Amino acid sequence: MTLLPPTPAQQKRIDKELPSDPEMRKQDIKMLREWLSKQSHLPNHIDDGQNWERFLYNCKNSIERCKLILERYYAVRTSLPEFFAARDPLSQDIQDSYNAINYFVLPSLTEEGYRVSIFRLRETDVEKFSFQALVRRVLMVLDIRLMEEFCLSNIMIIDLERCSMAHFAKFSPTQSIVRRAMLAVQDSMPFRLFSVHFLHAPSFITNIINIFYPFLKEKLIQKFHVSNGGGEELHAYINKEILPNEWGGKAGTFQELNATWQQKIEKNRDWFLRDEKLSHTDEKLRLLESNTSCLLMEFEGIQGSFRKLNID
């Protein structure tokens, strides 16, 4: 099992933070279905395959927020094919990405009910680092999580130990593909972000982060924790028991956790191939007053996709 459910103590904390009202949830889902029936531009399989309850929960039970994210969830699949038009888990670029980059989600939640994701290079050869393939993997993992779990928020850990300036150059926001990835990941998924931890940060990391500042909310910047130390720095923030073995925890090794998520993505191959064919919008049928018709205009104008990030 790759995503363990909350413990009773975690569930109690989650329920306190975001109380559940089953009757209200039924009414909310009914309203969403009625809204969907009037959105002719959206794919007609949503009601069969999309878990409304998880979408609503991740949007803090806000129907209007849920409508917006659902719109954007499908709009980016049409507008950003570089991340959604080739999502075969067995494709060579995705397979190569597993060998070059550790990217996985830890099995256990934090005590607060947060989910922890980890990014760490395995291969130092910059030629083997594909930013585009990594973004595809991230989006595939997020889709699986939408199908399987609830969590209050997310913690991202980025271990920069093996990163060079050449790697940083590949995901600079000055590049169009990086800004488009921001749009795909941050504006079209109903996940909240609690904090980002940078480990083994090089001396020039401040200059790198400064490049991103125009695209970030001040509130998000305040969530950054930058350290030149390793995994032991996380013990002050996260129960070390849930961390990878190499960082003093018991979740498994980096290699094991990376391989587990590779297998999980490959197990869902049929879903990804089907979703690639079905999950598109018909922009000719979109109503002009739709608040997502300006999605790409926001991007092209570099209004800053992170500026709409749902931050706790």
Side-chain angles (χ1 to χ4, degrees), residues 13-40:
R13 179 149 187 173
I14 290 171
D15 291 340
K16 183 179 180 181
E17 180 81 15
L18 194 60
S20 176
D21 184 335
E23 288 304 315
M24 181 65 71
R25 183 62 51 83
K26 289 179 182 178
Q27 291 300 314
D28 289 345
I29 291 175
K30 180 180 178 181
M31 291 177 65
L32 282 172
R33 286 197 170 110
E34 291 174 354
W35 166 81
L36 175 64
S37 68
K38 302 173 184 177
Q39 311 305 311
S40 56

Side-chain angles (χ1 to χ4, degrees), residues 76-91:
V76 295
R77 281 156 168 72
T78 304
S79 304
L80 304 175
E82 61 265 45
F83 304 124
F84 296 99
R87 295 215 294 174
D88 185 346
L90 300 182
S91 63

Side-chain angles (χ1 to χ4, degrees), residues 22-214:
E23 288 304 315
M24 181 65 71
R25 183 62 51 83
K26 289 179 182 178
Q27 291 300 314
D28 289 345
I29 291 175
K30 180 180 178 181
M31 291 177 65
L32 282 172
R33 286 197 170 110
E34 291 174 354
W35 166 81
L36 175 64
S37 68
K38 302 173 184 177
Q39 311 305 311
S40 56
H41 62 288
L42 292 178
N44 57 19
H45 74 288
I46 297 178
D47 203 31
D48 295 327
Q50 186 58 62
N51 191 317
W52 295 102
E53 191 169 353
R54 285 190 172 87
F55 247 91
L56 266 170
Y57 181 87
N58 285 316
C59 291
K60 286 191 172 182
N61 298 327
S62 167
I63 292 179
E64 292 308 310
R65 174 70 181 170
C66 190
K67 290 177 183 178
L68 176 63
I69 295 298
L70 275 169
E71 284 264 19
R72 292 188 166 201
Y73 180 86
Y74 289 100
V76 295
R77 281 156 168 72
T78 304
S79 304
L80 304 175
E82 61 265 45
F83 304 124
F84 296 99
R87 295 215 294 174
D88 185 346
L90 300 182
S91 63
Q92 191 61 52
D93 63 339
I94 296 293
Q95 293 292 309
D96 289 343
S97 180
Y98 294 123
N99 296 325
I101 305 163
N102 282 326
Y103 171 70
F104 51 81
V105 185
L106 292 180
S108 298
L109 294 165
T110 68
E111 293 176 358
E112 299 82 4
Y114 302 156
R115 188 65 73 184
V116 181
S117 300
I118 294 175
F119 163 87
R120 184 175 186 272
L121 286 182
R122 299 182 66 181
E123 174 60 63
T124 57
D125 185 352
V126 71
E127 296 303 319
K128 296 183 179 180
F129 176 87
S130 169
F131 176 79
Q132 188 169 331
L134 174 61
V135 174
R136 285 198 191 117
R137 277 177 67 193
V138 170
L139 291 163
M140 292 162 86
V141 167
L142 292 177
D143 271 331
I144 289 174
R145 291 181 57 195
L146 272 176
M147 291 187 278
E148 294 190 0
E149 70 151 347
F150 297 90
C151 73
L152 275 179
S153 194
N154 291 268
I155 295 173
M156 186 69 195
I157 301 171
I158 303 174
D159 188 348
L160 303 172
E161 184 176 21
R162 301 181 179 184
C163 290
S164 65
M165 278 299 294
H167 287 101
F168 285 114
K170 284 202 169 187
F171 48 86
S172 167
T174 58
Q175 298 188 59
S176 174
I177 191 172
V178 176
R179 298 196 302 274
R180 293 169 74 85
M182 290 179 180
L183 193 66
V185 175
Q186 304 291 5
D187 276 345
S188 65
M189 286 287 183
F191 290 101
R192 299 186 294 278
L193 182 63
F194 179 75
S195 62
V196 181
H197 294 260
F198 296 93
L199 304 179
H200 294 111
S203 58
F204 54 80
I205 188 62
T206 301
N207 294 332
I208 300 296
I209 294 177
N210 283 341
I211 298 175
F212 281 88
Y213 272 14

